[in-house]
Every structure is written in C-alpha cells, then in structure tokens.
Amino acid sequence: MKLYCLSGHPTLPCNVLKFKSTTIMLDCGLDTTSVLNFLPLPLVHSPRLSKLPGWISKDGTINLEKVLDARELLDLSTIDVILISNYHCMMALPYITEHTGFTGTVYATEPTLQIGRLLMEEVVNFMERVPKAQSATCWKNKEIQRMLPGPLKDAVDVWTWKRCYSMQEVNSALSKVQLVGYSQKVELFGAVQVSPLSSGYSLGSSNWIIQSHHEKVSYVSGSSLLTTHPQPMDQSSLKNSDVLILTGLTQMPTANPDGMLGEFCSNLAMTIRAGGNVLVPCYSSGVIYDLLECLYQFIESASLGTTPFYFISPVANSSLEFSQIFAEWLCHNKQTKVYLPEPPFPHAELIQTNKLKHYPSIHGDFSSEFRQPCVVFTGHPSLRFGDVVHFMELWGKSSLNTIIFTEPDFSYLDALAPYQPLAMKCVYCPIDTRLNFHQVSKLLKEVQPLHVVCPEQYTQPPLTQSHRSDLMLELQPPPMPYRRCSVLNLPFRRRYERVYILPELANSLVPSEIKPGVSVATVSAVVHSKDNKHTLQSVPKPPPVAPSKKRKRVMDEPPVVLAPKPLLSGAVPLEAFLATLQKHGITEVKVEETADGHILHLQAEDTLIQLEEDGTHIVCDNNEPLRTTLRDLVLRFLQKL
Amino acid sequence: NMPEINVTPLGAGQDVGRSCILVSIGGKNIMLDCGMHMGYNDDRRFPDFSYITQNGRLTDFLDCVIISHFHLDHCGALPYMSEMVGYDGPIYMTHPTKAICPILLEDFRKITVDKKGETNFFTSQMIKDCMKKVVPLNLHQTVQVDDELEIKAYYAGHVLGAAMVHIKVGSESVVYTVSVNKYAKSHISAWIDKCRPDILISESTYATTIRDSKRCRERDFLKKVHETIERGGKVLIPVFALGRAQELCILLETFWERMNLKAPIYFSTGLTEKANHYYKLFITWTNQKIRKTFVQRNMFEFKHIKAFDRSYADNPGPMVVFATPGMLHAGQSLQIFKKWAGNEKNMVIMPGYCVQGTIGHKILNGQRKLEMEGRATLDVKLQVEYMSFSAHADAKGIMQLIRMAEPRNMLLVHGEAVKMEFLKGKIEQEFSIDCYMPANGETATVTTNPSVPVDISLNLLKREMALGGPLPDPKKPRTMHGTLIMKENSLKLVSSEQALKELGLNEHQLRFTCRVQLQDPHSDPDTLHRIYTHLKSVLKGYTIQHLPDGTVMVESIVIKVSSSAEDTNAKVLLLSWSYQGGEYFFTALCIVKRLMYQ
C-alpha cells in the first residue's frame, strides 16, 4: 500500500492512495496563493494600478496554481475514484478530471457538490467579467523567468501555474460526481469499501474511511470540534484504524475562533459608529453563515439596526438559499428548527427584514440602492479579483473605513501590498474552526490509530514560533511525515482476506474439537473469484470413470489431485494402543523400549510398529488389509487438521 | 435447521390501511410501519399488538421500528404503540417524515378526541414523547441498529420523505417499500441497487392497474377542472394536507397562469402554508425539476392559490377547493361535499385511493344516496371523478422494482386480496420466484441459505491463485485445501501447517514402510537406476526424481534398495511413504514388481 503526495499544502491536500488494486485520490485542493504575484483585476479602470511600476502588468491572465503537475509521479488517468472531503478541497477538480484521461468517479456529499459548484462558478465569473485582450505564457519558461523582476523571479514552479478553467469544464467535471450520504458504504470494485463521515467543519464536509475486511485507513481532512452550523464530527467511527492520514488542521493555531469573532463584532461596531464602512473579504459560503448568525444576535444590542449589510457575489443568493435546504447536514439545533418548520439559519430573517441585501455584483441594482455607512461581504479574499477590488479602491483612502480579514488562506499583508499606501484600518481576525494541535492529540488518544501520516509541517513548530513545541504533533510512534512529491510505503501487513463458504460446502464440513472452545475442520473446496469476491464451494465429484480395460492408460494420465489427507497431531499412548490391538485380535505383541519410545513387534504378522512422541512408523510387508487396520487404529488416537 | 425469515402482518395483510408488518430475521425483530385504519372507529383502527405480547411492553420483543412515510395509515398508531402499549426502543424515519408526522398525528388526535369526543386515545404529550424516540434517517446512510442489524434508506418518491428500507443481518436481508413509483427515478439519488434481498415486501394498492402515463392523467385532470369552471361549477378535490396535494397545486397554478384564469383556487386547511414551507425546506427530497429552479423561483410559493375560509363555500360562481381529508370520511372536505353534492354542475375529483367504509369509497362505487348521521340521506348529484394521482405503486412499478432489486422471494401487503392474487400470479410467472401474501396475523416463512463468511489466510489464497492461474477453467476446478479454525466468533481458514502452528500443536508423523525381497544380480545403484528409468517411462505426468542420497521418489513415495552383506543378489526394496502421500503406492509397487520379475 502506497501513498503518493501531490500537494505540500497541509490544508489543500491532494494525495493518492493505492490500496488493494484500487487507486484513490484523496481531495484535490487548489493552492491559489500564486495570485498574490499578480496585480488586482479592477472592475473599473484604475489609473493608479495601471501606473504601478515593477509589476509585469503586460501579462494579463490571473493564473491559479494547480496543485501539482503530477504526471511524473503517477499517471492521473489510472485514478479510479476521487474522494472529496469538503468544498474547499475540490477546487482543482476540473484540472484533474478534464484533459488527463480520467475516467473514474468522484464521490462527494450533496452540499459539497452544490456549494463547491457555487465557489467554482464564482471564480470563473470573476475572471470572465474582466476579459484580457492578451495573455502571455512565455514568461513561465525558466530562462525567461530568470530575467524577470521582483518576487516573480523567485517564484517556484511557475510552470505549474495554469489558467483558470471555464464553466464548461466545471460542469463536465462536476457531472462525474456521485452523491453520497454520511455513513453510506460505497463498494469499489468489490475490493474496498469507502464511507464518508461527518467532519463538523462545513456543510457536508466529510472524513473518509477506506477499508477492506481486515485493513482500515482513515482520512481526516478539515475537521472541527467547535459547535458551528454543521453536523458534529463523527469521531468514534475513526477507531481501530491501521493508518490515519491527518490533514487540514487549523492554519491559525494561536487564534481562538470565538475570540476572533468577538473582535470582528467590536471592530465592526466601532467603525460603523464612527461613520465608516466595513469591508469583509470572504468566500461566499462557510464562515460567512456563522458571521451572519453572530451579527443577527449582535445587531440589536449594538444598535446597528439601521446599518445596511450587503453581500455581493455572483452566487450570493444561491449560497444563502442553499444553506437553508440541507437540514440533514446541520447541527441538531438547526435541524430542530426545520421541524417547526422554520429556516435553519437566521439570515433568512435578516433578508426578510431588509437588513441584509444580496447582489450579484456592484453593477445594476446595487449601485442605486447602496447606502453608507455599511458593511460589505464580498470576495475574493486574495483581494486580486472580484468585487472586493472595487471597494478597496473606493474606501482605501479614508481612515474612517475598516477592512476586516476573516479568511485564513492568504497573508493579509501580501494581499494588501498593491493597495499601499492605505489609509483605511486593517483588522486581522482569521477564523479557522479546524482542529488545533491540542484537540487533535486528544482525538488521536481517543481513536488510537496504529500509524499516523501527516504533512511534515505538523511535525515541527511553525518557523516563526520555533519555541512553541505545543504547536506540533508529538506522538508515539512518531507520525510519518510527507512532503510534496513524496511516496510513502504505508506500514501494512495484509494477512487475511474475506471469503464466503457456500451453504452446501458449509453443511458438509465435519468439525472436531481440538481444545475447549476451539474446533477445526478440514476444507477442500473450489475457489471462485469474481469482482474481487471469493467464494468457496464443494469440489464437484469427478464424473464416474468407466472401468478401463487397459490398465496402462490410467498410468499415462497425470495423477488426479485428490483431497490431501489431513495433518496429524497428538501422540499414541502405548497402553491404550496395546489394548486396542488386543481387541482386534492382535495379541502376540513384543514391546521393546527405545530412546525415543517403543517398538512393537507383532510377531504373528511379522510387522513392526515404532511408537514415538511425534511419529509412528508402521513397517508392514505385503499385507494391505493389516496395514489399513493398523493405520485406522493409530488414527483413532490422533487429531486431524 | 436452516435459518429462516418470518414475516407477519398485523395490519395491511390482504387489506389496505393500518400498515404494520413484523419481520424476524437473524434473531432480530423489526416492526415496519405502525399505521391506523381510516375505515374503522373502534379497536380495529389500530394493529393488534397483543399478537406480539399479551401483556407488558413491546421493548423486549422489538429491536427497532421503521416508519416508511408520514401517511397516517403508516404511522397513525405510533403514539398508541409506543406510549400506551409501551415501546422505548429506537423508531427510525427520514427527516421530512420526522418533521411532518407529529403534525398529522396531532391533527388526527384533534379530530378524534376534540370533535368526536372519544376518550382513551393518545394525548398531545404522548405524541411528543413518542417523537423523542425517533432517530432520523438520511438517504443511503447505513445505520447500525446494533452490532448485527443494519438498515439503509432509499428514496421512494411516494410523498415527501418516503423511503424504501433495506434491512440486513449478516448475509440475510429484506427490502420493504411503500409505493415506489417509477417517477422516483427522476430524483437525483439513484434508485435501489441490485441488492438481491431474500424477501422484497411491497405494497400492492393498485396491483391490477397499469396506469396511463402521468402526463395523460395530468392533462385529463386539467381538462375536467377547466370544463367545470367554464360552466360555472365548483370543483372539490379532497386531499391529504401533504403529498400529492402540493403537486396538484403546482399543476393548477401553472395552468391558471398560462390560461389566465380568474376563478379562485383555495386550499382549505391551516396546514397549507406550513406544508408548503416543509416542501421548501426539504426541497432536496423533491423531484429534480423542482430542485433545479428553486433559487430563482420556489415552486411552492403560489400566486393563485389562497387560504380557504368556510364561509367561501357558499359564495356564488366557480371555484376550486382543495380540502382535507382525502377520503371524505370527516372534516372540512366532507362538510363542503355535503354543501355541493346537490348540484350537478359541481364536481368532486378523488385523486387517490379510498378505503372501504369511507364516503369516498361509496361514491366511487356509484352510490348516489348516502346515509348520513341522524338518519338523513344525501342525494349525490354532482359529478364524481376518480383520478389516481396518489403515488402508490402500480403493477408496472412493482415489476420494475423486482427487476431492479432481484429478490429471491416476494411478499405483497397493503392491497385487496383479489388484486393481490392477480399480481402474485403475474410475478410468479414472470420471475419464477415465490410470492407470498399473508393475511393479518398469518406468518410467511422463507428459509434462507446464507453463505458463511470466513477469513482466509492470504498466503493460502495466493498459493491457490498462483496454482490455478488467473482464469477459472471449468474442466479443471481450482481446488484449495486448508483447515478451518473455529474459535469463539472467529472463523479462520489457514493451511494445515499454519493451523498446527497457531494452535500450538506438534505434528505427528505417520509413516509406512513396505519391504519387498527380490533377487537381482546388479549393484544396488544400478538396480535403483533401472527402477528409475522404468518408472519414468511408464508413469507419464508423475513427478519422479532420482535423488543424490541414493533414493528414488515417485510423487512422495521413497524407494530404496539395499542388499544383504552375505548375498549381494538378495536385495531388499524399501517403499516408504507418509500418511499424507500414499496414493500411488500400489501403482509404484506393481510396476516395480513387474520389472523385477520379468
């Protein structure tokens, strides 16, 4: 069993597991931090941005970095299935499923599929809204890249940077998704069973169990133990794993999500009270639901009742609507609301009372209805594309305004770089609800996997906080670290396989008790293997051979493989054996003691029986009936296996 | 004794209504549905739980209860069973069923207790307590009821949240389905897979009907409503608050929009708005067309359909009214029916099945004079139309389901005996499987023949695979020999050698030796070599070796030659073999003897 690691990014994993002749890709996250190397794509012409020096403004296309061009490590067309753990970890899907010869199936939960589709649609929309007259790719050539200025010269693996996919590719990729529910058991080729488990991180997010009858691999990716909107994490099903692959821990191990949320609210209120605007660059699904819920409770007490909240994204409406229809994927409290029936998320009420308004973009209705001061939620959190670029240009110059970063995926300083100098206040409240090191070590103590595999980043403290030994995984035995492009041999020893004995054969078996509670039976069977499932059935009786006239012909034929005789165990006790012989009319027995046992001389029959602890030897000449009798008598005292 | 599965209907055995089926499989007892009968007002309203136990609670006898959908003939007896008879174990149902079921139960309770004044009925609190025992099911989730019993729900498409259930213990399994309609396939989740259950239990309400296409029926329905409205008549559509009603509403809403009709459409019950809300929140459980467009336009927000007030019934002019309940046996639909029955311009459209004893059933059978309470009679002059919109399985749907799931046996419930008989014949003829239709209290027994799961040592399996080659050859079956170790609950199949090792046993060697005296002038090695060459030429296909230690081996028989010191011509031939390897001793002996005595 092998693990091919195609991504070094611990929260945007992409690993391939080869297990019992199946090839399973675990997630395909897309690392988009490379967009920080590019200039923002403004919706309105910005003379300031176009005059900035030092940036290669000629190259127009924002490129998204693909996880890895994995062709050297393994042939992507051999992948049988892709298991998706949450909608953030599927953004590279079109790169994998299209144009690589992939013919397999992708498994994901319904919310993951629907929200993942929205997130992809949003990115494509952001890109297509600002088409570029020209795009360049030659600079990616190593020779040319060397001569480029600034940080671009030092960017690694630019040749893996790809253009953003099209909606057509997204649709084609998503058409390969097969929906699954939590704890659903999906059989892969009869050899392996995979099953998603609730991971508590986002709507429909899952960890995966990959198992056969005797081996179990758990894949833990992006899990949360905090009580937010999703169904709580299923921990107990992770027990008894041989190997646990651990990815997607919090990127902000020192930032407490609850504290951040409090800071978010107080900064927001302070800015609004002072007459400024608040900009929240965010993804259009996920933490935003919790932010809105938090604000719903906060608005009245902070007397923000009249402040307009705007959510601007091409998929804003869909995201808000979709969040309300996934009752079975929500935490218990939200489920109970649906039974009433009431919408599970309070943003329905915010919309109904006109406190929250959503728009597909800044153009159209928004421009006429827009009132300040206000709070705007919009993307993309990298500040390089999407409607957020416009608000940065609009509000950046005033110190009354505040930008509050809540998404942990991008360095906020890098994100802000092209907008400097900036007068607006910046607040960094990254909210990452994924497991921290304390929670994960508790979890591992609980579920006790035999081996843990994790990104190498988790095996040492962060570079900037090298003294914090609490910010790493310390396990016994130590975890097996991986980095991008490593291939790990997972420590597995497969020893058993499941077979099914058909009823007819099962009924014909003759068990005998060897020890108290332990019985054995010898089995001779025909093995049928189909679709990786093995069944044992009785050996068909050979067709009756017509009594052959020529004996020679029998000899010409190769020997018929008969059921072999069982192995024997035990010892033949002398006294009891002599008594038995006597009963069968063999009375003249001379017993001679030897070093290892006895020799019995059956004088009338001129036959020797050598009885020893671990063997019996019958020396009997031309007397077949006697030999058979003696054999059967000896067998009486022995166990057959 | 062969393992068997027993199925006993306590209700819905050769009958419609009061669904309640007991299944015992692999030592587990499961109750499927727990419904009430619309046609009775006495004890016969509920299934006879005394069949399970005369006195005492049911908890000790049942491992779980599974409810297929929220219709009262499938869940109406639930609070009675759990709170009044007594059951504390798990009750499984899907999320939408869990949401809607208590509302319908409360409605049912109100009509029975508050309106009809019955006592000794379950209370509101009992409904709440009962619902606390419910464990919600997700589609396709494999739920482990205990270590052995496993259940899995599939989309059934009958009404919102309706499910088929696959019940499995070891390798034995049963599938229970309400009325699966073939439109279920339009739902995004796949239909049931080829799970080959031992028994498929299916409803057979429309066993003899093979209905027109859905679209035909819809067109027919709209035409009839339209004609009545045109001539100034009123249309009454008795429905149950949730289910087909919403689909018919969508149908009329779009028709009104298209034809620009002005006649009012009313929905009678206070439940409507709530009901539509459920459909909105559980939209993932509706069909694909509705789901696809829900963000742009929620199909359950109606423009033309308004809430009904009882005073509207006397308004002049045409109107369409959806009123509950669906079989005209009580409540508002019955009141409106009484008001409108006298006018031949009006029409009542029965969109679903009506059980015996209800007014719906009577008028569908052509009865034109109805005896009402207080000896009054009611003349029925309005037109009576029947359109089977209720999504019960028809014969075609059931046949499709059998083709899909490939059950070993079929069992029919929830249908009339005569119609069941017809379908039973059809199934037995077409699929050559046994089809059962037990009456209430009668047990159908199916013996199963499960195969035994065993863990085989990979070495043994691989050794066998290597010997047999990759392709099975029908002429030369690949045989495998091993020892099955049975310890506590584990069954392990290993090679005999490994079995000895694992059990900590010593091998006992049993050997045989046969001496043959003969005269031969050659030296010992020469004699042996002659024997070797001869055997080799005679026994083709056998493994024959001449070993350097001065022995010849035929398969596993060892042959040695020795001569006495006094007479080198007098030789002793020793043939020696172990207990496990003596098959060819005679063959070898005969050949050697013949050679020597030539």
Side-chain angles (χ1 to χ4, degrees):
Chain A
M1 185 178 312
K2 276 186 175 172
L3 188 72
Y4 298 76
C5 309
L6 307 191
S7 163
H9 195 304
T11 36
L12 295 169
C14 182
N15 295 312
V16 174
L17 178 70
K18 286 206 176 189
F19 180 27
K20 276 189 82 181
S21 73
T22 54
T23 307
I24 303 170
M25 179 177 270
L26 306 168
D27 279 331
C28 47
L30 185 73
D31 185 352
T32 54
T33 47
S34 61
V35 297
L36 293 176
N37 290 300
F38 294 83
L39 276 182
L41 288 174
L43 290 172
V44 188
H45 177 72
S46 158
R48 189 188 68 82
L49 282 178
S50 53
K51 279 186 207 138
L52 277 180
W55 296 80
I56 42 149
S57 53
K58 261 190 203 157
D59 184 79
T61 324
I62 287 276
N63 291 257
L64 299 173
E65 190 192 349
K66 197 188 146 187
V67 203
L68 168 71
D69 196 65
R71 261 160 272 212
E72 282 170 31
L73 213 54
L74 106 162
D75 179 2
L76 291 180
S77 69
T78 61
I79 289 170
D80 297 310
V81 295
I82 304 179
L83 308 181
I84 304 292
S85 55
N86 62 67
Y87 45 77
H88 287 301
C89 291
M90 64 186 286
M91 298 298 279
L93 200 58
Y95 293 124
I96 313 268
T97 60
E98 310 306 300
H99 321 300
T100 60
F102 173 81
T103 54
T105 310
V106 182
Y107 289 97
T109 62
E110 179 160 18
T112 299
L113 170 70
Q114 301 297 4
I115 296 173
R117 181 195 296 278
L118 294 182
L119 294 183
M120 290 178 172
E121 207 180 305
E122 186 183 41
V123 171
V124 173
N125 194 300
F126 281 158
M127 295 294 166
E128 288 177 354
R129 249 175 8 189
V130 279
K132 287 282 167 176
Q134 43 173 235
S135 69
T137 49
C138 282
W139 62 273
K140 290 182 192 169
N141 184 308
K142 274 211 175 95
E143 291 308 303
I144 300 173
Q145 193 203 347
R146 245 177 354 109
M147 293 182 276
L148 293 179
L152 208 55
K153 190 173 63 175
D154 311 314
V156 283
D157 295 337
V158 276
W159 54 274
T160 65
W161 296 7
K162 302 266 165 165
R163 286 196 64 155
C164 181
Y165 34 71
S166 68
M167 209 49 218
Q168 198 189 351
E169 288 169 309
V170 170
N171 287 332
S172 167
L174 295 183
S175 70
K176 291 160 182 139
V177 174
Q178 173 89 48
L179 295 182
V180 286
Y182 288 150
S183 307
Q184 179 178 345
K185 294 175 179 169
V186 181
E187 289 273 333
L188 303 182
F189 316 106
V192 180
Q193 197 183 59
V194 297
S195 186
L197 305 174
S198 176
S199 77
Y201 169 56
S202 60
L203 266 177
S205 69
S206 22
N207 293 322
W208 290 85
I209 301 286
I210 302 131
Q211 63 186 339
S212 64
H213 277 287
H214 297 98
E215 300 87 16
K216 177 170 173 179
V217 180
S218 295
Y219 173 56
V220 174
S221 162
S223 301
S224 177
L225 290 171
L226 296 182
T227 333
T228 57
H229 58 275
Q231 212 182 92
M233 178 183 180
D234 178 353
Q235 299 179 60
S236 58
S237 305
L238 298 170
K239 280 181 183 165
N240 304 318
S241 304
D242 298 290
V243 170
L244 187 143
I245 304 168
L246 180 69
T247 67
L249 300 185
T250 177
Q251 302 186 77
M252 297 294 147
T254 52
N256 174 328
D258 280 331
M260 290 292 129
L261 205 57
E263 230 172 279
F264 169 82
C265 287
S266 63
N267 277 293
L268 184 141
M270 233 150 54
T271 308
I272 295 292
R273 275 194 213 109
N277 298 296
V278 176
L279 178 61
V280 186
C282 60
Y283 293 115
S284 48
S285 179
V287 174
I288 185 167
Y289 303 142
D290 298 315
L291 291 180
L292 290 175
E293 180 150 12
C294 179
L295 288 173
Y296 170 81
Q297 290 154 0
F298 180 70
I299 284 173
E300 294 310 322
S301 63
S303 55
L304 297 172
T306 55
T307 313
F309 287 78
Y310 300 117
F311 178 16
I312 302 169
S313 156
V315 298
N317 186 24
S318 300
S319 165
L320 294 172
E321 288 289 332
F322 269 112
S323 67
Q324 305 286 21
I325 63 159
F326 292 125
E328 29 315 21
W329 309 90
L330 294 172
C331 63
H332 182 73
N333 272 346
K334 297 221 174 308
Q335 266 178 18
T336 324
K337 287 188 93 178
V338 176
Y339 295 154
L340 292 178
E342 276 170 27
F345 285 97
H347 53 240
E349 201 184 313
L350 289 176
I351 295 169
Q352 217 167 29
T353 55
N354 267 326
K355 290 193 175 94
L356 173 67
K357 292 187 172 181
H358 52 80
Y359 300 92
S361 84
I362 53 166
H363 302 298
D365 291 347
F366 177 70
S367 45
S368 55
E369 292 170 20
F370 169 55
R371 282 190 297 118
Q372 303 194 59
C374 64
V375 180
V376 169
F377 295 89
T378 189
H380 184 269
S382 66
L383 305 190
R384 289 301 178 274
F385 51 92
D387 298 278
V388 72
V389 176
H390 178 74
F391 287 99
M392 286 305 293
E393 295 287 302
L394 190 69
W395 290 344
K397 291 166 225 86
S398 166
S399 61
L400 281 178
N401 301 328
T402 307
I403 178 169
I404 310 181
F405 290 91
T406 55
E407 302 289 353
D409 285 358
F410 298 91
S411 145
Y412 78 105
L413 290 174
D414 289 347
L416 287 172
Y419 300 98
Q420 299 293 2
L422 209 59
M424 99 197 283
K425 280 198 291 284
C426 300
V427 179
Y428 187 50
C429 305
I431 297 172
D432 195 332
T433 58
R434 286 171 281 208
L435 296 174
N436 61 35
F437 287 100
H438 175 69
Q439 291 164 327
V440 83
S441 50
K442 221 174 123 191
L443 171 75
L444 292 175
K445 226 171 256 167
E446 191 82 9
V447 304
Q448 302 222 326
L450 288 182
H451 302 277
V452 174
V453 175
C454 69
E456 61 175 355
Q457 289 93 327
Y458 295 162
T459 59
Q460 62 225 12
L463 284 176
T464 50
Q465 288 156 297
S466 52
H467 62 290
R468 293 286 299 266
S469 61
D470 57 326
L471 299 184
M472 61 179 277
L473 271 184
E474 271 183 295
L475 298 173
Q476 240 5 282
M480 300 173 63
Y482 72 80
R483 61 172 71 177
R484 196 171 120 165
C485 292
S486 37
V487 179
L488 302 186
N489 270 314
L490 296 185
F492 259 98
R493 269 192 55 212
R494 295 188 48 222
R495 288 160 71 183
Y496 287 96
E497 177 71 277
R498 180 54 62 94
V499 291
Y500 294 88
I501 301 187
L502 290 189
E504 189 202 351
L505 175 62
N507 291 335
S508 72
L509 296 179
V510 190
S512 62
E513 195 167 52
I514 290 278
K515 299 177 184 175
V518 182
S519 305
V520 296
T522 53
V523 179
S524 288
V526 178
V527 185
H528 280 272
S529 302
K530 194 178 160 192
D531 296 340
N532 287 315
K533 295 250 181 280
H534 313 285
T535 51
L536 301 183
Q537 29 180 277
S538 312
V539 182
K541 290 202 178 79
V545 185
S548 75
K549 286 159 201 156
K550 295 181 188 164
R551 281 192 74 183
K552 255 196 160 177
R553 285 201 62 177
V554 183
M555 294 169 182
D556 288 344
E557 281 170 11
V560 189
V561 182
L562 299 171
K565 298 240 169 57
L567 293 185
L568 303 173
S569 176
V572 183
L574 177 69
E575 293 307 324
F577 185 63
L578 287 174
T580 315
L581 286 178
Q582 193 136 24
K583 251 190 225 160
H584 284 77
I586 301 166
T587 46
E588 273 181 73
V589 183
K590 203 180 114 197
V591 181
E592 185 188 320
E593 203 159 326
T594 66
D596 300 315
H598 299 88
I599 293 176
L600 279 56
H601 191 188
L602 280 51
Q603 285 168 321
E605 293 81 9
D606 190 23
T607 291
L608 292 173
I609 303 174
Q610 197 175 343
L611 284 185
E612 285 174 7
E613 185 62 32
D614 57 356
T616 301
H617 193 171
I618 299 175
V619 184
C620 168
D621 300 339
N622 227 349
N623 189 347
E624 183 60 19
L626 176 67
R627 184 160 42 231
T628 310
T629 311
L630 291 176
R631 180 195 68 192
D632 292 343
L633 293 182
V634 169
L635 285 178
R636 278 189 196 184
F637 295 95
L638 297 173
Q639 290 159 336
K640 291 146 208 86
L641 287 140
Chain B
N1 50 338
M2 297 280 242
E4 53 189 36
I5 303 175
N6 290 312
V7 182
T8 316
L10 298 188
Q14 302 180 6
D15 188 13
V16 176
R18 199 176 49 166
S19 252
C20 184
I21 298 132
L22 292 180
V23 173
S24 43
I25 169 172
K28 306 285 171 186
N29 296 314
I30 299 124
M31 180 187 283
L32 301 171
D33 279 336
C34 189
M36 51 88 66
H37 202 295
M38 307 269 185
Y40 297 118
N41 285 320
D42 51 20
D43 283 352
R44 290 171 296 173
R45 171 162 59 199
F46 294 140
D48 180 12
F49 297 112
S50 67
Y51 177 92
I52 304 173
T53 168
Q54 282 297 330
N55 37 42
R57 304 172 71 78
L58 302 176
T59 317
D60 301 336
F61 300 90
L62 294 176
D63 291 279
C64 73
V65 174
I66 303 171
I67 303 294
S68 63
H69 65 290
F70 60 63
H71 278 162
L72 288 174
D73 53 353
H74 292 261
C75 69
L78 202 53
Y80 172 75
M81 189 272 306
S82 73
E83 306 311 307
M84 297 174 79
V85 181
Y87 169 73
D88 299 319
I91 302 169
Y92 293 96
M93 54 178 83
T94 64
H95 285 275
T97 309
K98 186 184 173 189
I100 295 165
C101 174
I103 295 172
L104 297 186
L105 286 170
E106 181 57 33
D107 215 41
F108 173 40
R109 190 199 67 79
K110 266 194 205 142
I111 291 175
T112 318
V113 177
D114 300 354
K115 293 228 172 101
K116 293 189 191 159
E118 281 189 46
T119 50
N120 194 24
F121 203 73
F122 54 77
T123 63
S124 293
Q125 189 55 43
M126 286 178 181
I127 299 175
K128 284 187 189 127
D129 293 341
C130 167
M131 294 313 290
K132 282 183 196 146
K133 297 169 186 171
V134 171
V135 183
L137 279 178
N138 293 333
L139 288 184
H140 298 164
Q141 173 193 15
T142 310
V143 176
Q144 215 69 48
V145 177
D146 57 36
D147 286 345
E148 289 143 353
L149 175 58
E150 193 179 286
I151 59 177
K152 181 175 175 182
Y154 291 88
Y155 179 82
H158 172 52
V159 289
L160 190 70
M164 287 186 246
V165 272
H166 185 219
I167 300 148
K168 200 174 148 203
V169 180
S171 43
E172 297 172 277
S173 66
V174 169
V175 168
Y176 173 57
T177 175
V178 267
S179 330
V180 176
N181 64 20
K182 49 188 175 211
Y183 313 110
K185 278 187 284 182
S186 68
H187 189 269
I188 204 155
S189 321
W191 221 25
I192 197 155
D193 32 48
K194 212 174 271 310
C195 53
R196 300 190 176 94
D198 292 298
I199 310 179
L200 171 61
I201 306 175
S202 171
E203 290 200 344
S204 49
T205 322
Y206 290 95
T208 51
T209 0
I210 290 171
R211 287 174 294 171
D212 307 329
S213 80
K214 193 180 179 184
R215 186 167 297 174
C216 269
R217 273 177 286 147
E218 287 175 354
R219 212 176 320 141
D220 210 22
F221 167 74
L222 291 172
K223 199 174 137 216
K224 284 191 172 126
V225 171
H226 194 195
E227 282 169 3
T228 312
I229 296 297
E230 288 287 281
R231 63 165 182 261
K234 296 177 167 64
V235 182
L236 171 66
I237 308 168
V239 288
F240 288 99
L242 284 135
R244 253 347 86 153
Q246 275 68 28
E247 251 180 54
L248 294 180
C249 282
I250 291 176
L251 208 61
L252 280 189
E253 168 89 10
T254 33
F255 187 69
W256 250 236
E257 187 89 29
R258 201 173 73 222
M259 306 294 286
N260 199 16
L261 297 178
K262 294 282 175 277
I265 308 174
Y266 297 113
F267 206 117
S268 79
T269 136
L271 277 176
T272 339
E273 213 180 326
K274 233 179 176 181
N276 291 340
H277 222 101
Y278 279 118
Y279 272 78
K280 276 166 71 178
L281 292 171
F282 286 113
I283 205 127
T284 53
W285 293 74
T286 59
N287 75 43
Q288 215 170 350
K289 198 172 122 201
I290 298 175
R291 302 152 53 99
K292 256 195 167 158
T293 54
F294 95 101
V295 177
Q296 289 77 41
R297 175 166 175 262
N298 198 311
M299 295 267 235
F300 296 106
E301 275 160 14
F302 300 116
K303 222 166 76 190
H304 297 275
I305 301 170
K306 298 184 179 70
F308 182 76
D309 185 279
R310 67 170 59 195
S311 66
Y312 296 173
D314 299 321
N315 286 359
M319 67 173 87
V320 180
V321 176
F322 288 95
T324 56
M327 300 184 190
L328 283 180
H329 54 282
Q332 203 153 31
S333 64
L334 184 58
Q335 283 170 17
I336 300 173
F337 176 77
K338 284 189 209 161
K339 277 196 175 152
W340 294 357
N343 190 339
E344 62 275 9
K345 273 207 293 192
N346 296 340
M347 179 182 281
V348 61
I349 299 178
M350 306 298 300
Y353 186 88
C354 292
V355 300
Q356 207 149 13
T358 61
I359 292 196
H361 186 261
K362 286 175 189 158
I363 59 169
L364 280 181
N365 279 332
Q367 210 170 315
R368 290 282 144 183
K369 275 201 192 305
L370 299 172
E371 279 180 41
M372 308 308 280
E373 291 130 45
R375 295 204 173 171
T377 54
L378 181 69
D379 281 320
V380 179
K381 290 190 181 146
L382 88 177
Q383 297 181 46
V384 178
E385 290 290 341
Y386 173 62
M387 315 215 100
S388 117
F389 270 109
S390 87
H392 286 273
D394 59 7
K396 211 165 159 186
I398 294 173
M399 300 306 248
Q400 266 183 351
L401 188 66
I402 298 176
R403 236 165 266 138
M404 205 77 177
E406 291 188 1
R408 293 189 184 88
N409 297 277
M410 186 72 198
L411 192 144
L412 299 176
V413 293
H414 210 266
E416 291 159 30
V418 190
K419 292 183 178 177
M420 274 187 181
E421 203 72 66
F422 170 81
L423 186 61
K424 174 176 146 79
K426 222 169 123 90
I427 290 169
E428 288 179 333
Q429 188 191 359
E430 189 161 329
F431 298 101
S432 318
I433 56 174
D434 286 332
C435 183
Y436 302 83
M437 40 176 282
N440 288 338
E442 208 173 272
T443 301
T445 301
V446 167
T447 51
T448 58
N449 216 350
S451 37
V452 184
V454 162
D455 296 330
I456 189 168
S457 121
L458 214 52
N459 288 339
L460 183 63
L461 186 67
K462 279 192 175 157
R463 186 162 78 191
E464 145 49 18
M465 302 275 261
L467 279 177
L471 291 170
D473 178 358
K475 283 188 209 149
K476 212 177 158 195
R478 294 147 50 171
T479 48
M480 189 240 30
H481 308 285
T483 301
L484 187 65
I485 307 178
M486 291 164 266
K487 207 192 303 186
E488 283 155 21
N489 290 324
S490 88
L491 291 174
K492 273 201 276 185
L493 184 56
V494 297
S495 64
S496 305
E497 294 84 1
Q498 195 184 336
L500 279 179
K501 214 185 281 170
E502 270 187 32
L503 295 169
L505 300 174
N506 288 329
E507 189 183 349
H508 188 98
Q509 297 272 358
L510 176 57
R511 285 200 73 80
F512 302 89
T513 299
C514 171
R515 291 166 299 189
V516 182
Q517 314 275 353
L518 50 88
Q519 291 289 321
D520 190 83
H522 301 90
S523 72
D524 294 356
D526 283 356
T527 309
L528 194 67
H529 193 74
R530 265 180 71 208
I531 292 171
Y532 169 69
T533 359
H534 185 65
L535 283 169
K536 193 96 178 154
S537 68
V538 174
L539 288 175
K540 298 221 167 63
Y542 287 68
T543 323
I544 298 166
Q545 297 161 281
H546 192 167
L547 299 176
D549 66 345
T551 58
V552 164
M553 280 190 79
V554 181
E555 294 288 321
S556 53
I557 297 159
V558 183
I559 302 175
K560 267 189 207 166
V561 176
S562 62
S563 44
S564 64
E566 305 93 63
D567 179 3
T568 45
N569 282 358
K571 297 215 155 53
V572 180
L573 203 62
L574 289 168
L575 285 90
S576 178
W577 64 97
S578 75
Y579 167 63
Q580 287 83 8
E583 292 100 332
Y584 306 106
F585 157 63
F586 270 111
T587 319
L589 182 65
C590 291
I591 295 168
V592 173
K593 273 188 173 168
R594 235 181 299 149
L595 169 72
M596 290 300 150
Y597 297 135
Q598 257 171 11

